[in-house]
Amino acid sequence: MKKKLILLSIASFVVGCSSSKSEYHYVAMEDDPQLEFSTDFGDETSLPVDFSLNIDNPEANYCSDFNDIGYYYPESSIFILAKANLELSAKIPANKPVAIESHYNIGNQASCYAETKQFIAEKGKTYKVNFKLENKYCDLEILDKETSQPVRVKIKNKCTK
């Protein structure tokens, strides 16, 4: 009995720690904007990049309002415990602010967090959200997929607890 209680406590602790961000859920309308996520590491080795969205209250910028979309990873590697994930997308509400957070983090080895960016997506449009690594600097670019032009963004401070 004591052993089961200890195992149950450990399992609860692990689940509690791993679910600090909730998964993204949005019931989209047909003509809501679409985000397509990708990465560009230049000549560097690609790493899995996690993306999160805040559609609830981007102006307040609370960490708890960000919801995990998942990770984009263009290749499989025996050195990184992540499977290739070449397609990552999400629908978002039209004509409302949305904030996007992105980063890679492979423990004590390396991590890089791009600035959080907020923008307003137009109805019926598709946007390419690209995490870039240049000269060891991470950046997040958001492009109108049809024109390949950058969209107007607002840079946000790091989210608050």
Side-chain angles (χ1 to χ4, degrees):
M1 179 69 172
K2 195 180 214 183
K3 194 176 197 179
K4 284 183 183 180
L5 186 58
I6 291 171
L7 289 174
L8 185 60
S9 297
I10 291 171
S12 298
F13 178 73
V14 169
V15 169
C17 290
S18 66
S19 61
S20 59
K21 278 188 181 178
S22 61
E23 198 173 304
Y24 182 73
H25 293 288
Y26 172 67
V27 179
M29 297 177 55
E30 187 175 321
D31 57 351
D32 275 344
Q34 172 95 6
L35 302 178
E36 295 177 352
F37 300 91
S38 64
T39 61
D40 180 2
F41 279 74
D43 295 333
E44 304 283 327
T45 301
S46 293
L47 297 167
V49 174
D50 286 300
F51 290 94
S52 299
L53 295 178
N54 180 349
I55 62 171
D56 297 324
N57 192 358
E59 289 301 327
N61 203 32
Y62 294 121
C63 296
S64 60
D65 288 337
F66 280 85
N67 295 294
D68 190 40
I69 295 298
Y71 70 90
Y72 178 87
Y73 186 46
E75 57 196 43
S76 289
S77 170
I78 60 170
F79 300 107
I80 297 175
L81 298 176
K83 291 189 262 181
N85 188 15
L86 294 168
E87 292 185 26
L88 186 63
S89 64
K91 289 272 199 171
I92 57 174
N95 304 316
K96 293 184 178 181
V98 60
I100 304 171
E101 186 272 337
S102 59
H103 70 277
Y104 68 81
N105 186 346
I106 52 173
N108 294 333
Q109 306 299 318
S111 65
C112 193
Y113 288 75
E115 291 178 314
T116 299
K117 296 194 176 169
Q118 178 182 314
F119 81 111
I120 297 175
E122 295 177 39
K123 186 180 278 192
K125 290 216 172 201
T126 300
Y127 298 89
K128 182 175 180 183
V129 179
N130 190 33
F131 182 93
K132 296 178 73 146
L133 180 65
E134 293 180 19
N135 300 322
K136 301 193 190 286
Y137 175 75
C138 296
D139 190 27
L140 184 66
E141 71 178 356
I142 305 169
L143 306 171
D144 180 319
K145 188 173 178 182
E146 185 178 314
T147 65
S148 297
Q149 294 297 309
V151 300
R152 191 175 187 193
V153 298
K154 179 178 183 180
I155 296 174
K156 304 292 287 183
N157 291 328
K158 188 173 179 170
C159 67
T160 57
K161 302 267 183 216

